[in-house]
C-alpha cells in the first residue's frame, strides 16, 4: 500500500525500516521534521527506537556517533549550517570510523530560503572523505537509507544523506515496508589506538580512510550513476543529481529534447568512479553538469574542454536551480531558441512576528529605551525584529553575544561606548550562547543582553528546549533554567520580566544601561519571558482582550508602522487605524503603545 | 492525466492543509503526485506557495506559464505567483470583490460561521464546484474527513460544503 509522506517523514520512515535504534538532532529548516517524525512513527509502531533533541548539532552528532561506536545503528540530522557546528566531530569520526551503521543527514537549502548560506554539504562530505548520497525525490531519499547503512557497516565509515529543501518539504506517494526491531548496540569494544588515537595513529587512520573511500568508489561507483533518459547515441548529455535532476528530467521532456540529450543521474556524487564515468562520456561532444549548489561532481570530472556547468557560467554560480532557471540553461546548451519570457514573479510578502508575539513588545521596548543603540541579534523568529529596526547584525547561532562583546571592545578602544543591546532566543542561548556569555564576562565586556525566552524553539515548529521538562519523545526530563546558567556565568545583574508589561521592561532596559556603565558594572542580563503563542495551549492560558480603536486615533501609524502589529492596518474608509479581529490575538500590548490612548479594551 | 496546480496565500491561511488534501485525493485515484510546500520563516505571515504536480512528473516545482490552476487564498499572492499561470490556466480567488476571475469571499464566509481559518476549505469547495480539479467533491470530502483532526472535522466539512454550495453571481466559469 502506498502512503503520501513528506520528504522528512520519508527519511524518518527509512531510518526505522532499516533498523536505526537512535536518532539525534537540533531543529533547523529544512531538516526539523525528521526527528519528530522518527519518534512519532516509532511510538505508533511500538518500536523501542529512541531519540533526542540535543542542545546543538555538535552534541547531537557526538551522542549518536557513540551509539554507533557501541555497535548500534544510529543517525543524526541537521540543516546544512548545523553541520558547520558539527564539523569537528565529523572530520574526526571519518578517521576513527564507526561500528554500527551511522548516517549523517545534512539538509541543504539552495536559494537560500531559510538559511544564512546556500553551502553544499556534499563538499563537506568530500572534505571529510565520507560517501554522500543525493536523492532526487522523497521516495528516493527513503530508498537510499538502505544503501547508506550497508556502506556504513561494510566499510565502518559515516555516510551522509544530503537532501535539499525541495526533497525535505515535498510530498509524494511511496510504498511502506515493515519496521523491524532496531539494530541495538552490541557493546563498546575497547580499542584505544582507534577510538583514542594519538596523532601518530591518526596518520594510520587517514591511510585506512583513503583505502576505504577508494574501495567504496570501486564497489558502489558503477551503480551510483545511470542513464535515465535519452540514448547513448545522442550527441550531448547532462549529468545531474538531487532534485535538480528531477527538474531537469521534467524540463527535457517538456522541451522534447529526449532524443537530442541523454540524461544521467548520479546518486552518489562522492566518491565518484571517475575513470568509468569519463569512459562512458567519451561519445558525447558536449556535457552539461547540473547540480545544487556547488560544483561537486563537476570538479571531480576534470575534462574542462567538454564539460560545462557552474564553473564556466553555463549554470548560474549561485541560487536554486528552479525550472525557470534550468529552461534557460538547457535551451542554450541544446542551442534551441529560448522561450519568450512571460511575467516575472512579483515581490513576496515579507514575514512578520505573529500578532501577540512577545518578541515584538521586547523589541519595541529596546527601541524606546535606547534608540541610539547598536543591536546585535541572532538566529530565530526574532530575526524579524529587523522589521522594527531593532536588529543590526545576524551572523550565526550564538553570535549575538560574542558580537556584542566584540563591539564593546571596538568602542572601548575608541573611548566612547554606545549602548549595545544583544538579543538572543532561549533555544539559541542554550545552543551556542553559553560559552559566548562566559567568555564575555571573563574578558570584561559590558553590554545589555536580552534573552528572549518564549520557552520553545519557535521558528522551526515549536520543539522543546532544555529549559522545559518535556523531552522530544514526550518523556519528562530535567529542566535546566536559563537564570541558573546566567548566574553561574558570573553575570552581575539579572532581571526577569514579562515583555507584555511594556513600561516595566522599557525602564528595566534603561536601568540595565546604567548598570553596564557603572564602575563595577559588567553585563546586564534581562530575561524577557513570555510563552510563544504558537505553542499549543499557550494562547488559552493568557487573557484575550477584545480590542478596538476609538475616534481619538490621529493616524500617527505608530501601532502598525513602529510596533508593526500585522493585525493593525490603515482603514481606507475612516482614515484611522483599524484592528482586524480575525488576526488579533487580544494581547492588549498595543494599548500601551498608543500615545493617544485611542486603543481600548472592549 | 497531467495537471499542475499552485496553491498560494499568506503563512497561516491553511495552504499546507489544502496541499495535503489534494495529494491524498491523487493517491486515492491511483495518480502519481508530487507536491512542494513552504515551511520555515515565511510561514510567519509571509507569502507561501505549494505546487502540486499530478501525473508523470519527477520534480515538484512549476515553471512560469505552466500552471493549469492557481487557488489563491490571498489576493496579494496572485501578484507574487501569478506568473506561473498558463495562458489557458484558471485562477480561483479568495476575494470579496474580484471581477476578472471566479472568486468567492471565503474569508468573509468563514468569519460568518465563526471560523475565519476555514477560508481554505471554502475556497477548495468552490473550486470543486467549478470542476477545475482532477478530483470530485465526494472524494475531497472523504479525504477531508479522514485527515482532519477530530476537533476540526465537523467545521472543516461544513466549510467545504459552504464553498461547494456557493453560486457565483458573476457567472464565471
Amino acid at each position: 500500500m502506498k502512503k503520501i509522506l513528506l520528504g522528512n517523514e520519508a527519511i524518518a520512515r527509512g531510518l526505522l525500516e532499516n533498523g536505526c535504534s537512535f536518532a539525534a538532532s537540533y531543529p533547523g529548516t529544512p531538516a526539523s521534521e525528521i526527528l519528530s517524525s522518527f519518534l512519532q512513527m516509532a511510538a505508533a509502531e511500538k518500536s523501542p527506537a529512541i531519540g533526542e533533541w540535543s542542545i546543538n548539532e555538535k552534541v547531537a552528532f557526538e551522542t549518536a556517533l557513540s551509539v554507533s561506536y557501541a555497535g548500534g545503528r544510529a543517525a543524526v540530522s541537521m540543516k546544512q549550517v548545523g553541520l558547520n557546528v558539527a564539523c569537528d566531530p565529523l572530520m574526526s569520526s571519518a578517521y576513527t570510523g564507526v561500528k554500527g551503521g551511522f548516517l549523517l543527514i545534512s539538509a541543504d537549502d539552495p536559494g537560500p530560503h531559510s538559511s544564512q548560506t546556500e553551502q553544499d554539504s556534499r563538499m563537506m562530505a568530500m572534505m571529510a572523505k565520507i560517501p554522500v548520497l543525493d536523492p532526487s525525490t522523497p521516495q528516493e531519499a527513503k530508498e537510499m537509507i538502505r544503501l547508506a547503512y550497508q556502506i556504513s557497516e561494510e566499510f565502518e565509515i559515516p555516510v551522509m544523506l544530503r537532501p535539499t529543501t525541495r526533497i525535505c518539504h515535498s510530498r509524494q506517494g511511496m510504498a511502506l515496508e515493515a519496521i523491524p526491531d532496531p539494530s541495538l548496540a552490541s557493546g563498546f569494544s575497547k580499542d584505544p589506538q582507534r577510538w583514542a588515537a594519538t596523532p601518530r595513529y591518526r596518520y594510520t587512520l587517514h591511510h585506512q580512510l583513503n583505502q576505504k573511500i577508494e574501495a567504496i568508489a570501486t564497489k558502489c561507483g558503477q551503480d551510483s550513476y545511470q542513464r535515465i533518459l535519452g540514448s547513448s547515441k545522442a550527441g550531448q548529455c547532462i549529468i545531474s543529481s538531487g532534485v535538480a535532476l528531477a527538474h531537469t528530467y521534467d524540463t527535457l521532456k517538456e522541451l522534447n529534447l529526449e532524443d537530442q540529450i541523454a540524461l544521467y543521474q548520479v546518486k552518489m556524487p562522492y566518491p565518484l568512479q571517475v575513470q568509468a564515468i569519463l569512459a562512458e562520456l567519451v561519445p558525447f561532444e558536449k556535457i552539461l553538469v547540473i547540480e545544487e549548489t556547488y560544483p561537486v561532481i563537476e570538479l571531480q570530472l576534470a575534462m574542462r574542454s567538454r564539460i560545462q556547468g557552474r564553473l564556466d557560467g553555463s549554470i548560474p554560480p549561485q541560487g536554486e536551480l528552479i525550472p525557470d532557471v534550468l529552461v534557460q540553461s538547457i535551451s542554450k546548451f541544446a542551442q534551441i531558441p529560448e522561450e519568450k519570457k512571460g511575467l516575472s514573479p512579483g515581490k513576496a510578502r515579507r514575514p512578520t512576528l505573529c500578532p501577540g508575539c512577545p518578541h515584538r513588545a521586547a523589541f519595541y521596548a529596546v527601541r524606546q529605551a535606547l534608540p541610539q543603540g547598536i543591536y546585535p541579534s541572532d538566529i530565530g523568529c526574532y530575526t524579524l525584529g529587523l522589521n522594527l529596526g531593532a536588529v543590526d547584525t545576524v551572523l550565526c547561532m550564538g553570535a549575538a553575544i560574542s558580537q556584542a562583546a566584540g563591539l564593546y571592545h571596538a568602542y572601548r578602544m575608541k573611548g566612547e561606548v554606545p549602548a549595545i543591546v544583544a538579543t538572543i532566543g532561549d533555544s539559541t542561548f542554550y545552543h551556542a550562547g553559553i560559552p559566548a556569555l562566559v567568555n564575555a564576562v571573563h574578558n570584561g565586556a559590558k553590554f545589555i543582553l536580552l534573552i528572549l525566552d518564549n520557552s520553545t524553539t519557535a521558528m522551526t515548529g515549536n520543539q522543546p528546549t532544555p529549559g522545559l521538562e518535556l523531552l522530544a519523545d514526550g518523556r519528562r526530563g530535567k529542566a535546566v533554567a536559563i537564570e541558573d546558567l546566567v548566574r553561574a556565568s558570573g553575570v552581575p545583574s539579572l532581571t526577569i520580566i514579562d515583555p507584555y508589561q511594556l513600561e516595566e521592561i522599557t525602564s528595566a532596559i534603561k536601568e540595565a544601561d546604567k548598570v553596564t556603565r557603572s564602575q563595577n558594572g559588567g553585563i546586564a542580563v534581562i530575561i524577557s519571558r513570555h510563552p510563544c503563542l504558537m505553542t499549543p495551549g499557550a494562547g488559552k492560558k493568557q487573557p484575550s482582550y477584545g480590542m478596538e480603536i476609538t475616534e481619538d486615533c490621529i493616524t500617527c501609524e505608530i501601532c502598525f508602522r513602529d510596533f508593526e502589529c500585522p493585525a493593525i492596518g490603515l482603514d481606507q474608509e475612516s482614515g484611522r487605524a483599524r484592528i482586524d479581529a480575525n488576526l488579533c490575538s487580544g494581547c492588549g500590548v498595543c494599548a500601551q503603545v498608543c500615545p493617544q490612548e485611542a486603543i481600548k479594551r472592549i | 492525466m497531467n495537471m499542475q496546480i499552485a496553491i498560494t496565500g499568506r503563512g497561516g491561511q491553511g495552504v499546507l492543509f489544502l496541499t495535503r488534501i489534494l495529494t491524498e485525493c491523487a493517491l486515492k485515484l491511483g495518480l502519481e503526485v508530487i507536491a512542494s510546500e513552504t515551511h520555515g520563516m515565511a510561514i510567519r505571515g509571509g507569502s507561501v506557495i505549494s505546487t502540486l504536480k499530478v501525473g508523470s512528473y519527477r520534480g515538484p516545482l512549476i515553471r512560469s506559464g505552466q500552471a493549469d490552476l492557481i487557488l489563491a487564498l490571498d489576493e496579494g499572492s496572485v501578484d507574487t505567483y501569478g506568473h506561473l499561470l498558463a495562458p489557458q490556466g484558471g485562477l480561483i480567488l479568495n476575494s470579496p470583490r474580484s471581477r476578472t476571475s471566479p472568486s468567492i469571499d471565503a474569508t468573509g464566509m468563514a468569519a460568518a460561521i465563526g471560523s475565519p481559518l476555514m477560508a481554505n476549505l471554502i475556497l477548495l469547495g468552490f473550486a470543486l464546484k467549478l470542476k477545475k480539479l482532477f478530483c470530485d467533491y465526494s472524494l475531497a470530502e472523504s479525504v477531508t474527513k479522514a485527515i482532519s483532526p477530530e476537533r476540526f472535522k465537523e467545521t472543516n466539512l461544513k466549510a467545504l460544503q459552504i464553498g461547494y454550495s456557493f453560486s457565483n453571481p458573476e457567472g464565471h466559469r
Side-chain angles (χ1 to χ4, degrees):
Chain A
M1 194 191 83
K2 276 188 163 186
K3 213 180 155 193
I4 301 266
L5 294 183
L6 192 67
N8 282 342
E9 294 169 346
I11 292 169
R13 177 84 197 186
L15 292 174
L16 287 166
E17 286 179 1
N18 288 286
C20 177
S21 70
F22 180 86
S25 183
Y26 179 80
T29 311
S32 309
E33 299 84 1
I34 297 172
L35 183 82
S36 46
S37 305
F38 178 85
L39 292 170
Q40 278 161 17
M41 289 173 185
E45 300 271 340
K46 302 206 171 13
S47 161
I50 59 172
E52 69 173 38
W53 288 121
S54 305
I55 198 165
N56 64 33
E57 292 86 354
K58 174 176 147 67
V59 172
F61 191 108
E62 292 154 352
T63 309
L65 178 71
S66 302
V67 172
S68 153
Y69 272 21
R73 280 197 172 181
V76 60
S77 57
M78 59 194 69
K79 68 180 298 177
Q80 91 285 33
V81 289
L83 186 57
N84 299 342
V85 177
C87 190
D88 210 357
L90 167 64
M91 295 300 148
S92 187
S93 64
Y95 279 43
T96 64
V98 302
K99 271 292 173 192
F102 180 64
L103 187 53
L104 159 63
I105 301 149
S106 182
D108 285 354
D109 185 25
H113 297 275
S114 307
S115 310
Q116 308 92 294
T117 71
E118 46 176 5
Q119 66 191 65
D120 190 327
S121 295
R122 301 174 309 159
M123 219 111 188
M124 298 282 264
M126 248 178 128
M127 181 157 82
K129 300 190 180 177
I130 63 164
V132 53
L133 301 171
D134 195 1
S136 71
T137 60
Q139 185 183 342
E140 228 172 63
K142 177 161 110 48
E143 288 164 3
M144 279 180 172
I145 290 172
R146 168 148 313 181
L147 176 66
Y149 272 129
Q150 275 168 7
I151 296 175
S152 177
E153 285 181 355
E154 182 177 345
F155 295 92
E156 299 199 347
I157 191 170
V159 174
M160 181 191 288
L161 180 74
R162 194 288 300 246
T164 53
T165 301
R166 304 298 186 181
I167 300 295
C168 294
H169 291 156
S170 284
R171 227 167 250 289
Q172 191 180 32
M174 61 194 79
L176 303 189
E177 287 169 47
I179 293 180
D181 285 336
S183 173
L184 297 176
S186 48
F188 177 67
S189 310
K190 293 195 181 195
D191 182 0
Q193 286 191 4
R194 179 176 178 188
W195 306 127
T198 53
R200 191 171 142 220
Y201 289 108
R202 287 274 162 176
Y203 171 83
T204 310
L205 291 177
H206 189 191
H207 180 61
Q208 287 170 2
L209 174 59
N210 286 329
Q211 287 174 324
K212 284 180 190 176
I213 206 76
E214 204 180 310
I216 292 167
T218 308
K219 180 165 181 197
C220 313
Q222 199 82 45
D223 303 329
S224 72
Y225 67 92
Q226 62 187 115
R227 195 176 68 243
I228 60 166
L229 206 60
S231 129
S232 57
K233 297 197 174 60
Q236 301 166 305
C237 82
I238 292 176
I239 302 172
S240 186
S241 76
V243 80
L245 174 273
H247 288 130
T248 301
Y249 179 94
D250 287 352
T251 306
L252 287 175
K253 285 182 48 171
E254 267 175 35
L255 299 177
N256 294 315
L257 288 170
E258 297 115 296
D259 296 331
Q260 194 183 329
I261 300 176
L263 176 62
Y264 284 84
Q265 178 182 14
V266 173
K267 291 189 172 175
M268 186 171 71
Y270 179 80
L272 281 184
Q273 210 185 41
V274 175
Q275 294 314 320
I277 295 184
L278 291 179
E280 175 96 20
L281 295 181
V282 166
F284 298 105
E285 288 159 42
K286 274 169 56 186
I287 300 147
L288 180 66
V289 183
I290 297 179
E291 56 186 325
E292 284 178 327
T293 312
Y294 291 5
V296 170
I297 298 170
E298 198 182 343
L299 279 170
Q300 291 176 83
L301 300 176
M303 196 163 57
R304 290 286 157 266
S305 56
R306 282 156 65 199
I307 291 185
Q308 306 173 20
R310 298 260 192 192
L311 290 173
D312 73 345
S314 300
I315 302 291
Q318 62 281 313
E320 186 178 22
L321 298 179
I322 58 173
D324 280 323
V325 172
L326 287 174
V327 77
Q328 286 184 35
S329 298
I330 292 173
S331 298
K332 214 169 191 178
F333 178 69
Q335 290 173 313
I336 58 167
E338 280 175 44
E339 281 180 25
K340 250 200 340 223
K341 261 199 169 170
L343 297 168
S344 298
K347 219 175 152 203
R349 190 187 175 100
R350 73 179 185 186
T352 57
L353 295 169
C354 304
C357 176
H359 298 337
R360 172 175 293 104
F363 281 127
Y364 189 78
V366 168
R367 292 284 289 152
Q368 292 299 304
L370 299 166
Q372 305 301 322
I374 305 179
Y375 314 125
S377 191
D378 225 299
I379 312 275
C381 284
Y382 51 93
T383 301
L384 296 171
L386 272 169
N387 298 347
L388 283 92
V391 167
D392 290 328
T393 68
V394 177
L395 185 66
C396 62
M397 293 289 282
I401 299 176
S402 358
Q403 288 198 290
L407 286 164
Y408 169 76
H409 296 309
Y411 277 96
R412 183 166 61 106
M413 288 183 280
K414 253 183 84 164
E416 51 183 282
V417 181
I420 299 168
V421 189
T423 44
I424 189 169
D426 48 338
S427 187
T428 309
F429 178 72
Y430 288 110
H431 178 286
I434 299 166
L437 181 59
V438 173
N439 182 69
V441 170
H442 178 63
N443 286 296
K446 297 180 182 182
F447 56 85
I448 301 167
L449 172 61
L450 210 57
I451 301 178
L452 304 171
D453 179 10
N454 59 1
S455 305
T456 188
T457 316
M459 180 92 281
T460 49
N462 295 78
Q463 294 82 4
T465 72
L468 305 175
E469 285 189 336
L470 179 68
L471 297 182
D473 54 6
R475 283 181 303 128
R476 273 170 69 116
K478 172 128 178 84
V480 180
I482 292 176
E483 47 270 45
D484 293 348
L485 293 167
V486 169
R487 286 193 196 102
S489 302
V491 169
S493 162
L494 171 66
T495 322
I496 303 174
I497 297 183
D498 183 337
Y500 273 22
Q501 311 304 321
L502 204 53
E503 223 167 278
E504 226 174 284
I505 190 166
T506 308
S507 48
I509 294 167
K510 287 181 184 159
E511 200 53 41
D513 186 51
K514 285 184 203 147
V515 169
T516 62
R517 293 174 193 287
S518 66
Q519 197 153 29
N520 297 318
I523 294 168
V525 174
I526 299 170
I527 299 177
S528 167
R529 180 170 283 158
H530 192 104
C532 170
L533 297 192
M534 302 301 281
T535 302
K540 292 206 177 100
K541 282 190 196 143
Q542 71 183 43
S544 175
Y545 308 107
M547 303 301 293
E548 66 174 357
I549 295 181
T550 67
E551 289 181 356
D552 295 335
C553 171
I554 55 162
T555 323
C556 66
E557 304 190 350
I558 286 174
C559 54
F560 60 90
R561 292 231 186 272
D562 297 353
F563 188 58
E564 208 236 1
C565 180
I568 313 179
L570 186 66
D571 183 31
Q572 299 297 345
E573 274 172 37
S574 68
R576 294 196 302 263
R578 195 182 76 86
I579 293 176
D580 181 340
N582 288 337
L583 292 175
C584 178
S585 72
C587 71
V589 177
C590 55
Q592 304 170 59
V593 166
C594 180
Q596 296 297 311
E597 296 183 6
I599 306 182
K600 296 235 187 293
R601 291 184 197 168
I602 301 173
Chain B
M1 151 72 78
N2 276 6
M3 188 170 197
Q4 305 192 47
I5 304 166
I7 308 167
T8 67
R10 289 193 313 270
Q13 283 192 307
V15 168
L16 292 181
F17 191 60
L18 289 194
T19 313
R20 266 195 74 200
I21 293 174
L22 290 177
T23 48
E24 295 287 346
C25 285
L27 184 76
K28 288 270 185 310
L29 291 169
L31 299 166
E32 290 291 313
V33 62
I34 184 157
S36 160
E37 303 176 345
T38 311
H39 293 243
M41 188 175 273
I43 66 171
R44 301 279 180 250
S47 306
V48 296
I49 180 171
S50 283
T51 53
L52 196 111
K53 288 158 85 176
V54 181
S56 55
Y57 298 102
R58 215 175 154 117
L61 295 180
I62 299 178
R63 192 152 70 82
S64 296
Q66 301 287 319
D68 301 298
L69 178 67
I70 294 183
L71 298 179
L73 277 165
D74 169 54
E75 278 188 280
S77 69
V78 180
D79 299 334
T80 317
Y81 302 116
H83 67 287
L84 296 178
L85 196 63
Q88 71 288 1
L91 168 68
I92 301 178
L93 190 59
N94 168 22
S95 160
R97 54 180 173 269
S98 165
R99 300 198 177 279
T100 51
S101 304
S103 71
I104 182 169
D105 182 13
T107 303
M109 292 162 84
I113 58 165
S115 315
L117 292 178
M118 300 296 164
N120 57 346
L121 286 151
I122 294 179
L123 187 71
L124 177 62
F126 183 52
L128 290 161
K129 157 123 184 190
L130 297 178
K131 301 207 185 309
K132 295 285 186 187
L133 285 159
F134 61 89
C135 55
D136 64 11
Y137 179 76
S138 65
L139 178 61
E141 187 188 33
S142 73
V143 166
T144 305
K145 198 170 173 182
I147 69 170
S148 291
E150 204 51 50
R151 62 201 164 105
F152 296 129
K153 192 167 286 186
E154 204 180 313
T155 335
N156 281 352
L157 291 171
K158 191 172 161 195
L160 195 66
Q161 173 64 44
I162 288 173
Y164 189 66
S165 315
F166 177 67
S167 62
N168 186 358
E170 305 276 328
H172 284 297
R173 278 293 169 268

